[in-house]
Amino acid sequence: MKQGKKNKILLAKMGLDCHDTGITTMAGLLRDRGYEIVYLGLHNSAERIINAAIEEDADIIGLSFLSGQHLTQTGKLLKLLKEQEVNIPVFLGGVIPKYDIPVLKEMGVAEIFTPGTMTQAVVDFINQQVG
């Protein structure tokens, strides 16, 4: 954890995915655990997420997908992060098929959380990444 401040998690939905119940619930649960949460809401581009992460000095980026756009949208974000030499870990949550998890990890996603994951598992992961 950075000296004198809470870890900051930037959460966002990308593309046309408009199902935000899971990510807003997780935002509240993580806030209750002491994290500072920046939630960008729906329909974000990779550029907007990266710019916000830099402006907010985010420690980690979390994306949620239900739309099936997890490979294309995450790929855009990771490509831009690399091009801009921004070193912020990215994790995903949502409905992501098991067969896409190794592909996403190969692309550079730090972790993927699927439905039914306990909040403590997410907290433990975030602490390991940024704490």
Side-chain angles (χ1 to χ4, degrees), residues 11 22-34 37:
L11 298 174
I23 196 168
T24 55
T25 300
M26 185 56 66
L29 292 169
L30 292 171
R31 189 175 286 114
D32 290 348
R33 296 287 183 105
I37 303 298

Side-chain angles (χ1 to χ4, degrees), residues 17-62:
D17 193 339
C18 61
H19 302 278
D20 66 348
T21 302
I23 196 168
T24 55
T25 300
M26 185 56 66
L29 292 169
L30 292 171
R31 189 175 286 114
D32 290 348
R33 296 287 183 105
Y35 297 100
E36 185 176 346
I37 303 298
V38 176
Y39 177 49
L40 296 183
L42 303 170
H43 311 298
N44 291 283
S45 66
E47 294 85 359
R48 176 160 158 48
I49 293 168
I50 293 169
N51 289 338
I54 293 167
E55 286 176 24
E56 293 285 346
D57 193 24
D59 296 300
I60 193 164
I61 297 170

Side-chain angles (χ1 to χ4, degrees), residues 29-117:
L29 292 169
L30 292 171
R31 189 175 286 114
D32 290 348
R33 296 287 183 105
Y35 297 100
E36 185 176 346
I37 303 298
V38 176
Y39 177 49
L40 296 183
L42 303 170
H43 311 298
N44 291 283
S45 66
E47 294 85 359
R48 176 160 158 48
I49 293 168
I50 293 169
N51 289 338
I54 293 167
E55 286 176 24
E56 293 285 346
D57 193 24
D59 296 300
I60 193 164
I61 297 170
L63 306 174
S64 173
F65 291 99
L66 185 63
S67 66
Q69 297 178 324
H70 49 277
L71 290 174
T72 56
Q73 294 294 335
T74 303
K76 288 177 189 178
L77 180 84
L78 293 171
K79 181 179 181 221
L80 281 176
L81 283 170
K82 187 174 183 178
E83 287 173 1
Q84 294 182 24
E85 298 180 359
V86 176
N87 189 25
I88 301 174
V90 176
F91 70 97
L92 306 183
V95 179
I96 297 169
K98 287 182 182 181
Y99 53 81
D100 284 341
I101 291 174
V103 176
L104 288 160
K105 287 193 173 188
E106 177 82 19
M107 291 168 58
V109 173
E111 190 59 83
I112 296 107
F113 299 101
T114 55
T117 300

